[in-house]
């Protein structure tokens, strides 16, 4: 549920940010969740259920994540995620999952809003279409590193290394980003020059991510573009296949 906070979420290293989203997230320990419990068990012949519970500073305000992985007859993997965030938590940065590929998956295509980064409250100027580029090209070098490269209203996206492609198919729509940095990498640096790209591609798949708003010098994100704590259910299909021709 964590993202590399934007300047509008709250400017780190500045005082007086306690009541801004970043201050609330840090106070709740959202940037440093700890696992309370974890369990994996078979559901059916080709399915497994993984249940994890995490919490920040108050163990009573937990976040439950149930992930159901099912292998299909076509050798793809259907993934269902059910997230339950305690309703006493503050408005959240995002609801999603993060994974990394092996090094080399640097070619990107997606069918969704683009070609530049966009968020749910700033995507009217990003038409839905088929786009492509490198993972490196998605990075936005803000002076202070922060959340970037997000894409909304995505139907599918794929990463390839020249030999194999990994395709993520939304059910029905998702947000995603593909970078050579984790959110922790971005949040831990105060200048872009301090960042060291990872060889792996870090993939973030979100049910929803908080909008950007104008909180550094104006009103905060409108409520309809915030992520209220509660229950979320999102799905996607994962396929790996050789590139042809």
């Amino acid at each position: 549920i964590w993202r590399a906070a934007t300047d509008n979420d709250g400017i780190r290293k500045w005082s007086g940010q306690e009541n801004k989203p970043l201050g609330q997230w840090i106070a709740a320990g959202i940037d440093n969740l700890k696992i309370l419990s974890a369990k994996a068990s078979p559901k059916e012949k080709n399915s497994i259920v993984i249940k994890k519970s995490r919490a920040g500073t108050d163990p009573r305000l937990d976040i439950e994540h149930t992930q159901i992985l099912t292998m299909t007859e076509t050798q793809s993997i259907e993934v269902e995620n059910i997230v339950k965030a305690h309703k006493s938590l503050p408005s959240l940065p995002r609801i999603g999952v993060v994974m990394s590929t092996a090094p080399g998956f640097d070619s990107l295509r997606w069918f969704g809003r683009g070609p530049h980064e966009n968020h749910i409250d700033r995507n009217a100027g990003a038409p839905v279409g088929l786009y492509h580029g490198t993972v490196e090209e998605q990075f936005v070098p803000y002076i202070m590193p922060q959340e970037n490269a997000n894409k909304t209203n995505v139907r599918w996206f794929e990463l390839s290394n020249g030999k194999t492609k990994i395709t993520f198919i939304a059910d029905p729509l998702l947000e995603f980003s593909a970078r050579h940095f984790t959110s922790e990498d971005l949040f831990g640096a105060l200048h872009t020059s301090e960042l060291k790209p990872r060889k792996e591609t870090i993939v973030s798949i979100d049910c929803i991510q908080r909008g950007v708003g104008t909180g550094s010098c104006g009103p905060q994100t409108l409520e309809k573009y915030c992520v209220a704590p509660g229950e979320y259910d999102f799905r996607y299909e994962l396929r790996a296949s050789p590139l042809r021709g």
Side-chain angles (χ1 to χ4, degrees):
I1 62 174
W2 175 247
R3 77 175 181 188
T6 68
D7 288 348
N8 289 342
D9 294 332
I11 302 177
R12 50 192 188 270
K13 301 300 183 181
W14 278 25
S15 59
Q17 308 293 296
E18 294 79 12
N19 293 324
K20 289 191 173 184
L22 175 59
Q24 296 175 24
W25 298 340
I26 296 295
I30 287 174
D31 61 324
N32 189 28
L33 295 178
K34 295 177 174 59
I35 294 180
L36 301 179
S37 63
K39 181 181 179 181
S41 57
K43 180 182 179 184
E44 297 171 353
K45 181 179 179 181
N46 297 321
S47 184
I48 189 170
V49 179
I50 302 170
K51 293 186 176 182
K52 293 182 180 180
S53 177
R54 298 177 174 87
T57 52
D58 188 340
R60 297 171 298 178
L61 307 184
D62 63 334
I63 300 163
E64 297 179 0
H65 179 202
T66 301
Q67 189 172 64
I68 304 170
L69 307 171
T70 303
M71 180 70 74
T72 70
E73 294 180 357
T74 59
Q75 301 302 303
S76 64
I77 300 175
E78 293 178 347
V79 184
E80 180 179 8
N81 295 278
I82 303 167
V83 177
K84 298 179 181 179
H86 197 286
K87 292 189 176 181
S88 294
L89 287 166
S91 176
L92 303 172
R94 54 184 283 271
I95 298 288
V97 296
V98 179
M99 66 192 75
S100 64
T101 72
F105 284 86
D106 298 321
S107 181
L108 172 67
R109 290 204 312 158
W110 75 95
F111 183 33
R113 291 192 178 272
H116 47 75
E117 71 169 5
N118 53 88
H119 288 77
I120 55 175
D121 61 344
R122 291 189 183 182
N123 63 10
V128 172
L130 178 61
Y131 301 99
H132 65 88
T134 65
V135 171
E136 183 180 4
E137 288 172 340
Q138 309 314 306
F139 179 71
V140 182
Y142 293 111
I143 293 175
M144 180 177 286
Q146 53 196 279
E147 180 61 41
N148 69 83
N150 192 64
K151 311 293 192 301
T152 63
N153 296 154
V154 174
R155 280 70 168 170
W156 59 263
F157 69 96
E158 70 179 27
L159 292 160
S160 68
N161 64 357
K163 297 180 180 179
T164 302
K165 66 178 179 181
I166 307 171
T167 306
F168 301 81
I169 303 169
D171 179 17
L173 298 174
L174 291 170
E175 303 183 37
F176 92 98
S177 67
R179 304 184 299 234
H180 287 302
F181 307 99
T182 66
S183 292
E184 291 74 19
D185 293 337
L186 297 173
F187 190 69
L190 294 180
H191 304 89
T192 301
S193 59
E194 298 171 14
L195 293 171
K196 295 182 180 180
R198 295 173 181 260
K199 295 180 180 180
E200 303 84 2
T201 295
I202 310 301
V203 182
S204 176
I205 303 177
D206 290 348
C207 171
I208 184 173
Q209 186 176 143
R210 179 187 176 92
V212 177
T214 59
S216 62
C217 56
Q220 261 303 333
T221 305
L222 294 176
E223 185 176 354
K224 64 180 179 179
Y225 299 124
C226 293
V227 182
E231 182 171 344
Y232 295 83
D233 189 331
F234 63 102
R235 309 176 185 211
Y236 55 89
E237 184 177 344
L238 176 61
R239 299 177 182 171
S241 57
L243 284 174
R244 303 182 186 278

